[in-house]
Every structure is written in C-alpha cells, then in structure tokens.
Amino acid sequence: MHRRSLVAAAAAAMLLAAGCTTTGTATTPQQDAAGPAELLFWNTGSDEQAAAMQVAADRYKELHPDVTIKVQAIAWDDGRAKVLTAATSRSGPDIVSGGLSWGIELGELGGMIDLNRYDVTAARQQTRPELWSSITSPGGAVYGIPMDMTLYVFYYRPDLLQRAGLGGPPTTWAELFTAVDRLKASGVPTPLVEEWGTFEWLPWFNYLKQAGGSLYSPDCTEVTIASDAAVTATTAWADQYRRYGVPKATVDVGAGLAKGEYAMAIGASYLAGGFDSGHPELKGKWQTAPLPTGPAGAGSFVGGKIVGAMSYTKYPQAAADFVKWLYTDEAVEILQREVFTRGGELYISPRPELLAKANASDNLKQTLQATLGTVTGPPNCKGWETSGAEVSKRLQAVVNDGADPRAALTEAAQIMRDNLG
Amino acid sequence: MTAVLTEPPLTNGRTASRRRARLRRAVPGYLMLLPFAGLFLGFLIWPLLNALYFAFTDFNGVRPPSWVGTENFRRLWLDDPRFRKALVNSLIYVALAVTLTTAAALTLALAFRGTSWRDRVMRTIFFLPSVTSTIAVMLIWRWIFSGERFGLANTVLSWFGAEPVSWLSTPRWTIPLLVLMAVWGGCGYGMVIFVSGLNAIPEELYEAARLDGAGGWQQFRYVTLPQLRPVTTYVVITGLIGAFQVFEAVYIVFRAVSSVGGVQDGGLMLVPYLYDMGFTKFQLGYASAIAWTLFLIIFVISMIQLRVTRALREL
C-alpha cells in the first residue's frame, strides 16, 4: 500500500511537472530573405470582407508570384480570444487584422512584430496623425498599421424633421435636444437612437471630445478623465438616456428609420451601406451630417482595424511587405470596390485623400470629410483596454442609479490610474 | 482473508504463473481502456494541472509565466470587488435557479409521469429545450427581451398600454431573466429524471399508506419525497454544478447591451468573469485562480449537500 501511494504520488508529480511546461516561448525560425512564402491572413469581420481581401491578396500574388496569401474570416465576437490563442500556441495566422487597440495590446505581450523594423514611414505619412498616434505604443512601437476607418455619422430623416418644423439637422447639443422634443411632439416615438457601443464608453467619448475633455494626458503619464469638461459631457450623455428616451440597448437603425420610428441616429459609418439594400423604402429618404458640436466644438471617435504580422511568423518580411502594400492606390481601389460589391459596405481607407473615390453619396462623402478633420482615436496609453469596460460601468451608474457624474468619473479615474501603473 | 489462511502456501513458480495468467486476462481490458485514458489524461488531467500551475503565476498567454505564489488567490479573495460581485450574483442565481428548476421539474414529473400519449407528448415538449442549440435559444431570448417595441415582451406590454422596458440594460432585471431562462431550459431534463424516479417507487408503499388512511398530500409528503431523495440529490447537484457554470446566457443575451457581465455587471457570474479576465484582459494566471476557486466552491457545496442528504436519511 505504501509503495502504491509512493507510485501514485510520483505519477502525480510527473504529471504536474509535465503540466507546467507551457512557456509560450518556442522560437520559430524566420526567413527574412526573399523567397517563396505562404501566408495565412485572419481578417476580423464578415465573410464578404474576407472575400474582398482575398481579391486584393490574389492581385498581390500576380505582382509577387512567390507570395501566396490565404485570407480567412474570423468573427469580431471571439476574434481577440482567437488571436491570443494563436499567439500563445505560436501557430495560426501570419497576418491578422482586428480592432485598433489590438496591435498595442498583443504587441506589448510579445505576440506581434514591431513593423518599424520593416520601415512603415510611407504609411505613417499617409495616415491621419490622430489615427497613427492611437496605434503607436507609448514606446514608439507600431505592431499594426491602420487598415480601414470607421467614423461616427449623424443619420436623419429630413422629411420627419421638416414635419416637426425643423429646418435641418441639429448642429449643437442644444439643437439636438430641442429636435428630440419637437420630433416627439410630432409623433415620432423614439426621435434619437445611438448605435456603435450604444451604452458603453464610445458614444460618451464623442460628448467628451465635444466638451473639450480627454482620458489621459498626451504623454500618458496622467489620467484626466475627472475634469469639469468630462462632468459636462457625462451630464449631457446621461440626459440623452434619462430625459430624451434614447434606448440603452442596440437597435436596428435601418428598420427604425424606414418605419419612421426613429428620426435621428448617431451611428457608425458602416451602417450607411446597408440602408438602401436592406430597406429599399428608405432609399432617398435619409441624409447624413457631422455630429452636433458641444461647448468645445466638434469632435468624435474614430475606430477601425489594424493589420499586422504575428511574432512567430516564418515570413516576417513577406508579411510586412503585404501589409504595406495595402496602402497603395491599387490595393485601396480594389478594397473599395470589392467590399462594396460583395457586402454593400463602405470601405474607408486610412488614406483620407482616397475618400473621394469611395462608393458613397456626395452627402455622405462630405460628412465623412468634415468629420475626419475632428476625430480622435482610442488612447494608446497602458491599461486603457483593461479600463474601458470598467469606465463604462461607472458611467452607466450615472444613468441607471443617478450617481453623481463627478463621483463616477473619480472612481473611473482611480481604476485607470491603477491600470496605468 | 479466510481463504488466504486456508490455502496452502504457494511456491514462487506457481505465484509467478498465476500473476502471468492474471496479467494475460487483464491486458486486453487495459488496452481497450487506453484510448479513453489517453483522452482523459490529455484533455482533462493535463489542462487541469496546467491551470493549477498557472493559478500560481502571472501569465498573459504569450510571455513565459512567472511564479507569484499565492498572490492571485490573495488578490481574488481579499482585494477584488468584481469577484465578490460575481460570487454574490452566482450564489443568488444558483439558489433561485436550482430551487425553481427542481420544483418545476418535480411538478411536471408528477403531472406527466404516465404512459398515455398525452403524457409522452407533454414530456417531449418540455424536454425539447434540453436538446435545442443553446446559441439559437439564447438568440431567441435576446429577441424576446429586446428593448425595442418589436421585442416580444415589450409587444405584450404594449397591448396593455405600457411603455417598453429596457429589459437587458436594467441591472435589476438581469438575474430574474437569467433564472427564467435557466428554469425554462432545465426543468425538462429534471422532469425526465424525476419521472424515472417516480416510476421506480414500489406501488406497495402507496397501498400501505392508503390502508393507513393517508391522503394524497400525506402520500406525497411521507412516501414520494423520501423515496425520491437520491434522485432529488442527483438533480440538485447536477443542477447546481450547471448553474455555477452558467456562461452562454450571460455572454450571448447580454452582449447586445454591454461587455461581459451585462450593464453594471448586473449579470456577472464566475465563469463569465473567468472568461473576461482570461480572454479579454489576458490575465490567464488570474483566470486560472478563478477556475480553481470555482472548483473548490462547487466541491464544498456538493459535499455539504451530500452530507445533509445522508444525515436526513439517517434521521
């Protein structure tokens, strides 16, 4: 019996030792020299977007016969977890695209290559500075360069506004809330809806910028969220839910606008592509404008995707070359055409001068052009990715529990400071 | 023991021969067990031990883990308000979901325990949620409780002139909705177990009870319930384990309104919190500590449940 116990203990110890061998540090021989390369690209987004990217990848192969790129779609819902798993197991895609903050996050963990080693100067010069700064880590590393952009757009039904006695889209917060009251009085059940991060920090961030506030100091050494400007922004943001009946859950903007249940929507630029195809009755009935301004003027969040190479790829040079090629006129043209043809979506390149060639109405192009001049990307400061959801919960308490905005922001600041540490 | 004493002592040769024969008989059995054992070791024991090791490390999934001793557990148990929120939410949810599911399952089993067509059809209907795709079911719940006017719950409210309710983004509704989903989805499975338990109770016990003048309620109280105790224990413990591990309902239904855990963490439970720390915040060491804490909680509660049941049996 004693011997049996010893054997069992030894077996358990061996298993435990074996179980402790995962280190995630296995080295992968990398081949920087030119030569045949087969690359796997995980494109976060829809199958249609992946198919559009495959067309670009096939064109790249025509230009670079040694490089074959296979594009696969991964869903937004579990994309980050999948990419992390790939980084952990050091197997999977060579190239990934994903949220703007994924690059810094995964890169700082050691999962992605710093593309500065492969000279991304041209891309930096072509991208809007505020977008570039949000993908550059505080130490200067660039783990993924912007692949496309998503902007906030103000959508509205001119006929419903006119019926309510409004001459045009609201241009300030005061006009916005007046419009909500008038539209409600004219019989529109839900005059204003929010889309894209509906009850999270994203829509609040627009108010923050329009009130002149910020999350961190430019050098990421201080948390600046608990400012007077932020209190003003939070009060206005909370009022839209508490006093003006903006739904707190995500809604179907196209369906609501088509039925006349909604008259105004603050949402992402990608929505525009689906209105006419998803709701033919809406065709010609909707317009866009930049978001209403606040006490400090215009401002909104810009999101989108980054594209970069995984740290374990055997072909870092080939991967980086393809990533940089996506900035060329030809690549952007292919993606603008294919993304629209396959999914009816608007592809906004990080090169703003190419916006004129996008598949969009003149009104939408003007709105996007005007918006681009006032956008700010997500913060590149350490710990923001961890803090974002916690900040949202403090903001939600202002709406749901009537918490004091300054107290809520002070709590949020403490969380951000702890994570900045 | 007696047999050993009465048998004549074996010579070394005979002992070895018997051992060889026993081994020959056992080898095919062990060989057939090997595939299962391999899978068991590879997909259960190995990950469990890995998780145990990671629970004592700081591990982001990419860089090598660094040993931090019991720091993760100290932080989890003493310093983490989100864990406390997840634990309290889980305990409330488990208590309500398990109690109501068990009661509903027993009620259904008593109502549809027979062999008639009606009972069979009803049992099938109530069992259907157990074999339906969880994701599909959760997406339907999400539509039912959509905050928009076309959400089923809000449509029903509108018939009575009520304003639409933001079901999913109002924290006080989160746990009740989760409990409702759990009872709807789980009572059919419990019902089937209870039906088999009910049908195994000897009819003589009821006859004896009737001869003693026991009415319907007394038969249920003094015959059915005591006889169902092992089945009830099984239903409660498996229900309890399942309820502690709730994930899809929180993740899929409330994802429409907020990040993991729902608005203001109204639906944050232990497994969603584990997922959040591991796969959205990349703190795999900490997530492993949560996983082992969850195991300990379920283990202790199950042991208490078994002990209480045994004590009741001895009364």
Side-chain angles (χ1 to χ4, degrees), chain A residues 15 18-20 23-25 77 80 84 88 108-109 200 248-252 262 386 390 393 396-397 400-401, chain B residues 46 49-50 53-54 60-65 82 148 169 171 251 255-259 262-265 280-282:
Chain A
L15 276 170
C20 300
T23 62
T25 54
D77 275 359
R80 281 173 79 234
L84 173 69
T88 307
E108 296 289 308
L109 296 177
E200 304 256 318
K248 290 183 277 182
T250 305
V251 295
D252 185 339
Y262 313 147
T386 314
E390 298 310 302
K393 292 180 200 309
Q396 287 162 352
N400 283 338
D401 306 337
Chain B
W46 169 277
L49 292 173
N50 253 311
Y53 167 64
F54 290 144
N60 64 28
V62 181
R63 295 225 168 88
R82 278 196 92 201
E148 291 175 281
S169 45
Y251 185 76
R255 200 170 178 80
V257 290
S258 188
S259 51
V263 170
Q264 293 175 264
D265 280 342
T280 65
K281 297 194 167 61
F282 298 161

Side-chain angles (χ1 to χ4, degrees), chain A residues 50-194:
Chain A
M53 182 58 75
Q54 186 64 62
V55 175
D58 292 343
R59 172 62 185 149
Y60 187 77
K61 183 171 175 58
E62 286 173 18
L63 301 168
H64 306 83
D66 278 348
V67 182
T68 306
I69 300 162
K70 186 181 175 194
V71 184
Q72 285 179 352
I74 60 168
W76 275 106
D77 275 359
D78 56 359
R80 281 173 79 234
K82 277 188 174 169
V83 175
L84 173 69
T85 309
T88 307
S89 62
R90 302 186 72 79
S91 65
D94 303 276
I95 302 170
V96 291
S97 72
L100 280 184
S101 53
W102 292 17
I104 294 177
E105 194 179 18
L106 268 169
E108 296 289 308
L109 296 177
M112 294 185 81
I113 286 172
D114 181 1
L115 294 171
N116 283 321
R117 279 159 40 194
Y118 299 93
D119 189 13
V120 286
T121 314
R124 176 164 50 237
Q125 287 166 348
Q126 289 172 311
T127 307
R128 285 203 64 86
E130 50 284 317
L131 191 58
W132 193 266
S133 68
S134 66
I135 57 93
T136 308
S137 76
V142 174
Y143 298 108
I145 60 176
M147 189 178 109
D148 61 22
M149 288 192 289
T150 304
L151 304 175
Y152 265 100
V153 173
F154 186 85
Y155 299 96
Y156 66 99
R157 287 265 310 255
D159 56 333
L160 296 181
L161 264 62
Q162 205 173 4
R163 200 176 72 193
L166 298 161
T171 57
T172 63
W173 290 0
E175 286 181 19
L176 175 69
F177 294 134
T178 303
V180 171
D181 283 338
R182 287 219 198 157
L183 284 159
K184 187 96 181 165
S186 75
V188 177
T190 311
L192 174 65
V193 296
E194 283 270 12

Side-chain angles (χ1 to χ4, degrees), chain A residues 277-297:
Chain A
S277 55
H279 307 280
E281 69 276 28
L282 197 54
K283 204 165 187 175
K285 284 190 176 175
W286 59 278
Q287 289 282 308
T288 65
L291 299 195
T293 59

Side-chain angles (χ1 to χ4, degrees), chain A residues 3 70 93 99 217 235 292 322:
Chain A
R3 197 198 300 172
K70 186 181 175 194
S217 60
T235 307
F322 175 70

